[in-house]
Amino acid sequence: MSASHWDAAYQRHGAGAVSWFEQSPEMSLRLIEACGLARDAAMVDVGGGASRLTLGLLERGFSRLTVLDVSATALALAREPCGASAERVTWVTGDARDWQPTTAFALWHDRAVFHFLTEAADRARYLAILRASLRPGGFVVMATFAPDGPERCSGLPVQRYDAAMLGDLLGAPFALRDALRHAHHTPGGAVQNFTYARFQRIE
Ligand SMILES: C[S@@+](CC[C@H](N)C(=O)[O-])C[C@H]1O[C@@H](n2cnc3c(N)ncnc32)[C@H](O)[C@@H]1O
């Protein structure tokens, strides 16, 4: 989970050839739009990497975006397609297990990051930060490998989930609003089954 591991992965492959690359993050955008949030709602993409999600959200008019990633290389790649609009995004190089956000977010998005936390203590630290920074009524959109998805990614082991398992970890303050499966087609031609889940904080 070190920054150097991820920097090297992006340097080796480039943004468009890593196995998790999506030309357009349609599932994430669909679930984020389903939250019905105002265009100035504060949103964070945790472990956003070089994803085009930020570009997609900017194109839809969302204006208070934060992207956190442990890899500065990934964030530099993510900025490129955003052009001048990148200046309106808060880019944070940091670790989801120990950053200290000062914003109360209305949306927490994570695609393919939480599933790398295979140690219970790491999951607990991540979830404590999530709970501390998500405002009441806010949403969590989480995408992980599904129970029949890959056991490893980028040379690292992962924990696989369905929506109920994610709900159990988030706990009682969160209500499941959507649960979907998605077959991700990697640039190399493999198919990876994902769980997408949308939760709302109700307490
Ligand atoms: C599989 S990629 C997914 C990237 C992006 N969410 C996407 O869908 O394209 C995992 C990302 O999580 C980042 N990452 C891994 N561990 C992290 C951590 N503990 N804190 C923050 N980012 C992390 C990596 O640098 C990488 O960009």
Side-chain angles (χ1 to χ4, degrees), residues 56-177:
L57 292 171
L58 287 167
E59 288 173 344
R60 283 161 178 75
F62 291 104
S63 59
R64 286 186 66 203
L65 306 179
T66 297
V67 184
L68 170 81
D69 202 284
V70 76
S71 166
T73 303
L75 294 181
L77 291 167
R79 292 178 72 115
E80 284 174 15
C82 299
S85 300
E87 299 305 322
R88 295 194 274 118
V89 177
T90 302
W91 306 92
V92 182
T93 304
D95 193 311
R97 295 166 296 181
D98 64 13
W99 72 310
Q100 296 180 327
T102 52
T103 303
F105 293 109
L107 176 90
W108 177 288
H109 175 269
D110 174 326
R111 173 178 178 267
V113 187
F114 183 73
H115 66 196
F116 287 108
L117 303 180
T118 55
E119 300 291 330
D122 284 340
R123 288 193 291 272
R125 286 160 65 190
Y126 174 109
L127 291 169
I129 296 166
L130 183 160
R131 291 187 195 101
S133 59
L134 192 75
R135 70 162 169 76
F139 294 88
V140 177
V141 172
M142 178 98 46
T144 68
F145 283 156
D148 58 353
E151 294 179 356
R152 301 180 73 83
C153 177
S154 188
L156 299 170
V158 302
Q159 177 74 48
R160 300 175 293 177
Y161 296 96
D162 60 22
M165 294 163 73
L166 291 171
D168 285 346
L169 285 173
L170 283 167
F174 291 87
L176 180 64
R177 299 300 190 209

